[in-house]
Amino acid sequence: MNLSPEEFHPLVELAAEKTSDGLLCANSDGKILYANEAAARALNQPAATITGRTMFEIAPDLNAALWRELWKEIRDHAAFAFEFALTAAGDRQVPVEISVHYLRPARRELACFFFRDIEERKRLQNLQQEFLSTASHELRTPMTVIREGVSQVAEGLRGDINGSQRRALTLALNGIDRMGRLIDEILDISKIESGKVTLRRERLDLAGLARE
């Protein structure tokens, strides 16, 4: 048996209030008509204080012109996600991940913004990037010195060597070069994750690539 409208309405209201994600509902003018408990906690101010304000007042990078563009995107795509910053009490900037959904109940247009605080995630990402950058630098410098020394010995610049020694040194050089490529790949992955590198898609001849 399906829920009646009278039963369904309080269920939706409960879900909106108790979800762990912040929820802001705004009209086409950017006026906030609803803020749930999670939004109030994230922005460190009562929901009643948030309601009635505009999105421009709590989003420092947003103005009326950008809102019009954003609203057009909301209407055209119905639902999409992006990262943004909201202003909490005390003018503290809170980085958030937002999922926006377009609704048209009755004759009114609404946009519902579900968001979650990603400040801790951003902090951990920055620590990871700093670690990778420092570690790669600390590894790359001694590896360059080691490779140069091994290369000079392999080329006979430090004295004569026999065939067995040359083969062993060649294996060592190959291992050093492989380690250098691994460090470069780790750095590339870090740059991609941080948005510093843009991936460009293009068609490739897989058969030709396999032959190479």
Side-chain angles (χ1 to χ4, degrees), residues 136 139-140 143-144 146 171-186:
S136 63
L139 286 171
R140 194 190 302 275
M143 276 180 52
T144 302
I146 293 170
L171 287 174
L173 284 172
N174 291 338
I176 293 170
D177 291 340
R178 188 178 304 112
M179 182 68 74
R181 289 193 297 271
L182 284 173
I183 291 173
D184 289 339
E185 288 174 3
I186 290 172

Side-chain angles (χ1 to χ4, degrees), residues 94-171:
V94 181
V96 295
E97 186 177 65
I98 293 177
S99 175
V100 59
H101 299 266
Y102 176 75
L103 298 174
R104 192 164 187 173
R107 297 182 179 179
R108 181 157 59 170
E109 293 180 300
L110 297 176
C112 292
F113 298 84
F114 291 89
F115 69 90
R116 60 183 56 183
D117 187 339
I118 57 172
E119 188 170 17
E120 180 64 12
R121 190 176 80 187
K122 288 286 188 182
R123 186 184 71 83
L124 292 176
Q125 285 177 344
N126 289 335
L127 286 176
Q128 178 190 34
Q129 291 165 16
E130 289 175 10
F131 170 77
L132 289 174
S133 178
T134 301
S136 63
H137 176 74
E138 293 298 326
L139 286 171
R140 194 190 302 275
T141 301
M143 276 180 52
T144 302
V145 176
I146 293 170
R147 192 192 190 291
E148 181 62 25
V150 173
S151 178
Q152 289 183 9
V153 175
E155 292 173 5
L157 299 179
R158 301 293 182 176
D160 294 336
I161 57 173
N162 59 39
S164 177
Q165 291 170 327
R166 181 171 285 104
R167 286 192 294 274
L169 291 169
T170 299
L171 287 174

Side-chain angles (χ1 to χ4, degrees), residues 29 34-35 45 106 119 168 179 204:
D29 296 324
Y34 173 80
Q45 50 189 302
E119 188 170 17
M179 182 68 74
L204 291 175

